[in-house]
Amino acid sequence: MATRNRTEVTEFVLLGLSSWPEMQPVIFGIVFAMYLVALMGNALLLIVALSDPKLQTPMYFLLSQLSFIDMFLTTITVPQMLVHTLSVNRTISFNCCIIQLFFFMAVGSMEGHLLAAMAYDRYVAICDPLRYSAIISHHLCLRITLTSWVVVSLNSLLYSVLVTRLTFCNNQVTHFFCDITPLLKLPCTQPVVSEMLIFTEGVVVVVSPFFFILGSYARIGIAITRMHSVAALRKALSTCSSHILVVLLLYGSVIRMYLRPSSSYDLDQDRQVAIFYAVVTPTLNPLIYSLRNQEVKGALRRLFRKLCNSGNFQPGSQGMWGWHHIS
């Protein structure tokens, strides 16, 4: 549909991941399986982090929030994508598209802020272990989480308002959900002002946590080089590796998709990156944190024993990374 009046665009057509009909059942099966794994893995990690007495620490509170974010992120996009994959009608109303854009941008940005908070936690744990309990608290983590939600929500609201003010001449969205990149390809004229505002403001809100993470790990790297204990060095590298891997998965996709001019976008490739960011990464995150963390694996074993034997959890409390025992 082509029109010079945005108000006549009452719906968008989401073209999905592939235009080949024979590929739709294959795509449906793969994405549906990964969606279930992402939901179950993150839900299990969330339950363990919130219920196990040994995991009632600020760091595990942040990890539980990350699991919630991953569940929310996949649910925003994947169910609609699955329905459209096996359906002839792939339309989404204009208002629903803007709502989806708002929540996707807010939740996606929030993940970076949580990873920055987790980086700060391990920076304090490694570089200032004696003051860890005095600096890092549940109250601080809660304040960081609530403040981050306010910041990313306002940022996402700005994106959504800018899109509603555009004049669209096409409603064919080359994507499987309403994202800012493909939507900026549809206006009658190139939205230079909106694009510049989104790019500059997006760098501040989305990328600033990444630079904070880099700064934290620079300080951690300096502290690690000064460690004389091989055991402490090995523990530092082990506990940081999971977080580093998750950061690389997230920001590798974000930088590839968003932080460049819209004229250089390849929407077909970006759809592949988006499926990695929206489905694969939330699926891998709980596996990364559970398989590489002895306390999480211990909590999972206690949970399964409780479910099987109707026993009780063992009381106690211990920090996620155990840095209080490292001098």
Side-chain angles (χ1 to χ4, degrees):
M1 177 176 65
T3 177
R4 290 290 171 180
N5 189 343
R6 181 192 62 79
T7 58
E8 294 182 10
V9 179
T10 59
E11 63 183 19
F12 291 102
V13 178
L14 300 173
L15 300 183
L17 281 176
S18 174
S19 58
W20 298 348
E22 61 273 13
M23 290 296 298
Q24 304 307 316
V26 177
I27 293 174
F28 179 90
I30 294 175
V31 174
F32 181 66
M34 297 187 68
Y35 178 57
L36 289 181
V37 172
L39 284 184
M40 292 187 293
N42 284 289
L44 185 60
L45 192 57
L46 178 64
I47 292 172
V48 168
L50 294 179
S51 63
D52 194 294
K54 289 189 176 183
L55 303 185
Q56 300 307 302
T57 63
M59 185 61 199
Y60 278 109
F61 169 77
L62 295 175
L63 184 58
S64 68
Q65 297 303 302
L66 183 64
S67 295
F68 171 75
I69 289 296
D70 284 338
M71 294 172 62
F72 197 178
L73 184 67
T74 56
T75 303
I76 292 170
T77 59
V78 174
Q80 174 193 260
M81 173 195 170
L82 293 174
V83 172
H84 285 180
T85 299
L86 300 181
S87 174
V88 177
N89 182 11
R90 299 183 180 182
T91 61
I92 181 173
S93 69
F94 184 89
N95 291 334
C96 287
C97 182
I98 299 302
I99 293 173
Q100 186 181 55
L101 172 67
F102 171 82
F103 281 110
F104 179 80
M105 298 303 298
V107 174
S109 300
M110 185 62 190
E111 187 164 5
H113 286 251
L114 283 175
L115 291 176
M118 295 168 75
Y120 178 68
D121 173 272
R122 66 198 60 197
Y123 157 73
V124 176
I126 296 174
C127 299
D128 198 1
L130 297 179
R131 298 180 59 232
Y132 177 86
S133 299
I135 298 174
I136 305 296
S137 64
H138 285 284
H139 181 65
L140 175 64
C141 293
L142 182 60
R143 286 172 54 191
I144 292 175
T145 302
L146 293 177
T147 302
S148 298
W149 271 117
V150 172
V151 172
V152 300
S153 297
L154 292 176
N155 173 66
S156 184
L157 181 62
L158 173 62
Y159 283 21
S160 302
V161 171
L162 288 175
V163 171
T164 61
R165 297 175 65 87
L166 296 176
T167 302
F168 293 100
C169 288
N170 186 5
N171 72 339
Q172 305 288 319
V173 182
T174 311
H175 217 306
F176 58 90
F177 67 95
C178 290
D179 196 5
I180 190 67
T181 302
L183 288 175
L184 289 180
K185 286 288 188 179
L186 303 181
C188 302
T189 59
Q190 186 176 3
V192 178
V193 176
S194 297
E195 185 178 314
M196 290 181 60
L197 180 59
I198 289 173
F199 181 81
T200 54
E201 192 269 346
V203 168
V204 174
V205 175
V206 178
V207 183
S208 56
F210 179 63
F211 288 117
F212 182 86
I213 293 170
L214 292 180
S216 298
Y217 273 107
R219 296 293 299 275
I220 291 173
I222 295 174
I224 288 177
T225 59
R226 296 174 179 173
M227 287 182 178
H228 302 290
S229 169
V230 176
L233 176 61
R234 188 174 301 164
K235 190 172 185 65
L237 295 175
S238 175
T239 55
C240 290
S241 59
S242 298
H243 184 262
I244 292 174
L245 182 55
V246 172
V247 169
L248 292 176
L249 289 174
L250 172 66
Y251 280 100
S253 302
V254 169
I255 294 173
R256 171 65 180 82
M257 285 195 300
Y258 300 113
L259 299 182
R260 52 202 172 97
S262 63
S263 58
S264 65
Y265 287 139
D266 185 332
L267 293 179
D268 289 330
Q269 293 183 9
D270 286 349
R271 281 186 290 182
Q272 301 172 12
V273 177
I275 197 68
F276 184 85
Y277 170 63
V279 181
V280 178
T281 299
T283 304
L284 293 178
N285 284 352
L287 297 177
I288 293 171
Y289 276 109
S290 61
L291 294 179
R292 298 186 60 86
N293 189 293
Q294 295 299 324
E295 290 188 356
V296 172
K297 288 191 286 188
L300 288 172
R301 286 193 292 268
R302 290 190 292 272
L303 176 62
F304 291 142
R305 284 200 299 267
K306 180 181 180 180
L307 294 176
C308 294
N309 304 323
S310 298
N312 295 319
F313 286 128
Q314 296 292 329
S317 178
Q318 182 178 356
M320 180 175 184
W321 308 113
W323 290 108
H324 305 85
H325 306 292
I326 298 177
S327 59

